Structures are given as C-alpha cells and as structure tokens.
C-alpha cells in the first residue's frame, strides 16, 4: 500500500504482479541481511553499544549506494558486496528495467542473511556458554 501513492511501475521488466512480489522479497531479504547483522552486534556488544555498530553499518552501506560503482574512489570498492547497494540495484531493475543482475543481487543478500544467521547462532551459543560457566564458578566458589 505504501507504493500506491508513488505509482511505482513494477511491470517494467517483469509482469506487474511478479515485479511487485520480487520487489517485496528483495526488500524483505535486505531487511533480513541487515537485521541479523544487527542482532549479531547486540549479542556480542550488548544493547549499550548497539548504537555505535548501527551508525557504522549505516554509514558503510549508504556511502556506496547512491553513486555507481565505477565512479567511486578506490576506498569504496567494497560496496558491491553491501546490502543497500544490492537492494538498490535489484529495485532499479524491477522498476526501471535496467541491466538485469537480480539473481546476483539476491544471491549476495541471501549470503548476508545466511552468514548473519550463522554468526548470531554461534555468538548466542558462546555467550550462553560464558554465562553458564560464570554461574558455575560463582555457585561452587571455584
């Protein structure tokens, strides 16, 4: 419903319905990629320092998303692997019928999401193990 007032044309490259659902899936996958990375940071750093990580990941993502990769200085060459960049490229293909690299863009977003799920699980396991060991030491006086 948010896209209706803007009259986004999802039928430029795909059918209107297919383009809309591909757009919705792309945005959802981008949110998964960034959300799970944030969950990992919360698990490791704690809620107090989450703002610092959030600021860093937003700056790292947004700084490469607006200018084409070929026009950016060498320091921003990491941008092709960032979630915002890939969401933007996929959305441009869906709405404006630009060069079709949607499979590559979705693959990178999926890789971010899976990698972040693995790191969240590993970090949760490690932090739980740490707290159980601290409890045992405090309980038994070791």
């Amino acid at each position: 419903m948010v896209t209706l007032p803007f009259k986004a044309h999802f039928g430029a490259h795909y059918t209107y319905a297919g383009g809309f659902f591909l757009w919705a899936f792309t945005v959802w996958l981008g949110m998964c990629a960034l959300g799970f990375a944030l969950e990992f940071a919360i698990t490791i750093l704690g809620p107090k320092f989450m703002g610092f990580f959030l600021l860093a990941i937003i700056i790292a993502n947004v700084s490469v998303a607006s200018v084409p990769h070929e026009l950016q200085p060498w320091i921003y060459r990491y941008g092709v692997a960032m979630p915002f960049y890939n969401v933007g490229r996929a959305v441009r293909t869906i709405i404006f019928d630009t060069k079709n690299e949607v499979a590559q863009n979705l693959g990178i977003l999926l890789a971010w999401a899976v990698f972040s799920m693995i790191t969240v699980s590993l970090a949760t396991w490690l932090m739980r193990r740490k707290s159980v060991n601290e409890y045992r030491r405090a309980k038994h006086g070791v």
Side-chain angles (χ1 to χ4, degrees):
M1 296 304 287
V2 173
T3 61
L4 286 177
F6 299 104
K7 296 185 183 355
H9 185 62
F10 296 109
H13 189 78
Y14 302 97
T15 64
Y16 187 85
F20 174 77
F21 284 111
L22 186 59
W23 170 81
F25 180 69
T26 302
V27 171
W28 177 78
L29 205 52
M31 292 301 293
C32 285
L34 292 166
F36 286 132
L38 188 61
E39 286 292 329
F40 171 74
I42 291 172
T43 304
I44 296 297
L45 301 174
K48 278 195 292 189
F49 298 105
M50 177 195 59
F52 296 110
F53 178 79
L54 187 59
L55 184 65
I57 199 167
I58 287 173
I59 290 172
N61 270 286
V62 172
S63 62
V64 298
S66 60
V67 177
H69 175 67
E70 295 80 21
L71 299 177
Q72 292 185 3
W74 65 271
I75 196 164
Y76 295 112
R77 296 296 161 108
Y78 68 89
V80 294
M82 297 305 280
F84 277 16
Y85 179 82
N86 287 290
V87 168
R89 299 270 302 201
V91 168
R92 282 184 214 126
T93 299
I94 294 165
I95 295 176
F96 301 118
D97 195 19
T98 60
K99 184 178 179 185
N100 189 1
E101 295 177 343
V102 173
Q104 176 185 348
N105 299 132
L106 292 180
I108 291 171
L109 291 172
L110 189 62
W112 266 93
V114 169
F115 178 72
S116 294
M117 280 188 232
I118 291 169
T119 56
V120 165
S121 301
L122 183 64
T124 303
W125 178 75
L126 288 172
M127 294 308 239
R128 173 71 178 147
R129 184 174 162 199
K130 178 182 169 187
S131 66
V132 166
N133 287 339
E134 286 176 1
Y135 174 77
R136 286 182 182 158
R137 277 190 223 118
K139 184 177 179 183
H140 297 298
V142 176

